[in-house]
């Protein structure tokens, strides 16, 4: 698989990684099976998808434990990315960016992952009660201690921006007093402000944010910010929570614990309305011959957005991990890209 470098430290990973969250969190718990998940991770590594993306809150904790079982055998084959800063309860998720907690959480992640160093440690969400510089400074100390190689920041998306309000990680009293909810066009403004602040404390190696054919908002300002500074971009949900694979049927329904059961784009009406996007991807796949799929085209589009972009599709089955990895060799023509640019925008959003 093509290798890509991210960040000033020139960290090298496969162009397509593996999002491990669906194996333990947020997607149809009845389909989450440990042995199959282990085989999926091994399949991804065999195919060159070296970046394994997890987090302590996935499960919580069980996702890191799962990845640790693989790392015990294949640590040298993997690039480990995990996250800190969110605590998952039964009915809610809260941020914790206190320096002492960050350091304890890192030690716990190292134990679960069965490794002595985390390749990329990402701040999952800034704590509105703690200046983000303090949280980032604690993470930088973990680099100095040899427990972490590089640091990354997860972007604040639409739902998180709504939950967090305007605070965004220790913002000033004047900013809090403004009290206005960010408009859709400004959703990544909060993230960019955080990035500017933490960059003054310790270099940012990567930013993780949603990027896909049906969610291209990061292309406007966030991705250019990363490009201008040599910061890697990890494209989360590049398959649109599975919709862009073309394997989901409008009205099929989702299990209550599946995040798509509450997602406005996954109502029967909106899934039907967005079928022209999948149809467009399928037309392009057919031009590329047998083996090409709508999912492969969607991933190839993400990779075409820049040499520092790494796609991180989630998967919980071996065949999906292998198919996703194969998309790294698919090259879209200028005609293909122009056709994708003309697809209708997705309907349905959190706003």
């Amino acid at each position: 698989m093509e290798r890509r470098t991210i960040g000033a430290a020139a960290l090298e990973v496969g162009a397509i990684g593996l999002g491990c969250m669906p194996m333990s969190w947020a997607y149809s718990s009845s389909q989450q099976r440990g042995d199959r998940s282990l085989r999926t991770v091994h399949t991804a590594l065999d195919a060159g998808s070296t970046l394994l993306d997890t987090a302590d809150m996935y499960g919580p904790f069980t996702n890191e434990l799962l990845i640790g079982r693989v790392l015990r055998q294949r640590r040298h084959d993997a690039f480990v990315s995990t996250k800190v800063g969110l605590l998952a309860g039964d009915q809610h998720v809260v941020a914790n960016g206190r320096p002492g907690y960050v350091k304890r959480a890192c030690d716990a992640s190292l134990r679960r992952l069965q490794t002595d160093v985390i390749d990329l440690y990402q701040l999952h969400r800034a704590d509105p009660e703690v200046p983000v510089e303090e949280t980032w400074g604690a993470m930088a100390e973990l680099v100095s201690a040899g427990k972490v190689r590089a640091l990354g920041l997860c972007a604040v998306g639409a739902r998180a921006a709504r939950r967090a309000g305007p605070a965004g990680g220790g913002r000033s009293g004047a900013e809090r007093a403004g009290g206005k909810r960010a408009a859709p066009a400004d959703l990544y403004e909060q993230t960019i402000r955080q990035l500017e602040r933490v960059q003054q404390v310790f270099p940012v190696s990567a930013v993780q944010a949603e990027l896909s054919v049906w969610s291209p908002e990061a292309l406007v300002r966030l991705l250019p910010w990363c490009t201008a500074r040599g910061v890697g971009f990890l494209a989360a949900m590049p398959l649109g929570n599975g919709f862009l694979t073309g394997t989901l049927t409008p009205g099929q329904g989702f299990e209550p614990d599946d995040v798509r059961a509450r997602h406005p784009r996954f109502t029967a009406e909106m899934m039907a309305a967005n079928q022209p996007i999948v149809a467009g991807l399928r037309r392009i796949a057919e031009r590329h011959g047998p083996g090409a799929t709508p999912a492969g085209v969607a991933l190839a589009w993400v990779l075409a957005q820049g040499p520092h972009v790494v796609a991180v599709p989630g998967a919980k089955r071996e065949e999906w991990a292998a198919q996703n990895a194969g998309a790294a060799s698919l090259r879209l023509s200028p005609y293909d890209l122009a056709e994708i640019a003309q697809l209708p925008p997705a309907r349905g959003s959190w706003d």
Side-chain angles (χ1 to χ4, degrees), residues 13-155:
V13 297
I16 292 178
L18 176 66
C20 301
M21 181 179 73
M23 302 174 188
S24 310
W25 183 259
Y27 291 90
S28 302
S29 59
S30 68
Q31 299 181 32
Q32 294 166 358
R33 300 184 179 91
D35 290 344
R36 185 174 68 186
S37 295
L38 288 173
R39 293 194 299 271
T40 300
V41 179
H42 282 292
T43 297
L45 292 175
D46 290 342
S49 294
T50 57
L51 190 151
L52 305 180
D53 186 69
T54 182
D56 56 3
M57 74 162 287
Y58 298 160
F61 311 129
T62 54
N63 202 248
E64 287 187 333
L65 289 168
L66 175 74
I67 301 307
R69 294 171 63 185
V70 176
L71 297 180
R72 184 173 55 190
Q73 305 172 28
R74 305 186 62 174
R75 181 62 183 92
H76 295 297
D77 296 331
F79 180 97
V80 184
S81 170
T82 192
K83 309 177 189 75
V84 67
L86 287 179
L87 298 172
D90 291 336
Q91 301 294 330
H92 63 281
V93 175
V94 297
N96 189 339
R98 294 176 176 83
Y101 168 75
V102 168
K103 294 177 181 179
R104 293 193 301 274
C106 179
D107 288 339
S109 287
L110 287 168
R111 289 192 296 271
R112 287 189 291 268
L113 291 167
Q114 301 191 53
T115 186
D116 57 1
V117 64
I118 294 166
D119 296 308
L120 179 66
Y121 204 36
Q122 299 188 73
L123 179 57
H124 215 161
R125 193 73 72 239
D127 186 338
E129 302 302 322
V130 180
V132 70
E133 293 88 347
E134 292 184 14
T135 304
W136 200 256
M139 295 172 69
E141 290 179 18
L142 296 170
V143 179
S144 299
K147 297 180 179 181
V148 171
R149 292 179 62 201
L151 302 183
L153 184 76
C154 293

Side-chain angles (χ1 to χ4, degrees), residues 212-213 238-239 244 281 293-303 330 332 340:
S212 70
V213 169
L239 296 177
L244 300 178
L281 297 177
T293 64
V297 173
L299 291 172
W301 178 88
V302 169
L303 296 184
L330 179 60
L332 299 181
I340 291 173

Side-chain angles (χ1 to χ4, degrees), residues 5 104 124 137 149 160 199 221 231 260 282 294-295 313 319 329 331:
T5 56
R104 293 193 301 274
H124 215 161
R149 292 179 62 201
Q199 189 82 316
R221 288 203 57 202
V231 173
R260 293 170 294 189
R282 184 172 285 113
E319 60 269 29
S329 61
R331 297 291 182 268

Side-chain angles (χ1 to χ4, degrees), residues 194-254:
Q194 291 175 357
L195 287 165
E196 296 285 2
R197 290 167 62 180
V198 301
Q199 189 82 316
Q200 297 179 47
V201 177
F202 191 87
V204 178
S205 288
V207 172
Q208 184 162 348
E210 183 173 4
L211 178 62
S212 70
V213 169
W214 83 340
S215 293
E217 293 82 5
L219 298 179
V220 178
R221 288 203 57 202
L222 187 58
L223 185 56
W225 188 97
C226 294
T227 301
R229 293 160 180 80
V231 173
F233 189 94
L234 307 185
M237 293 175 279
L239 296 177
N241 302 93
F243 182 81
L244 300 178
T245 65
T247 61
L248 301 180
T249 303
Q252 70 175 59
F254 299 95

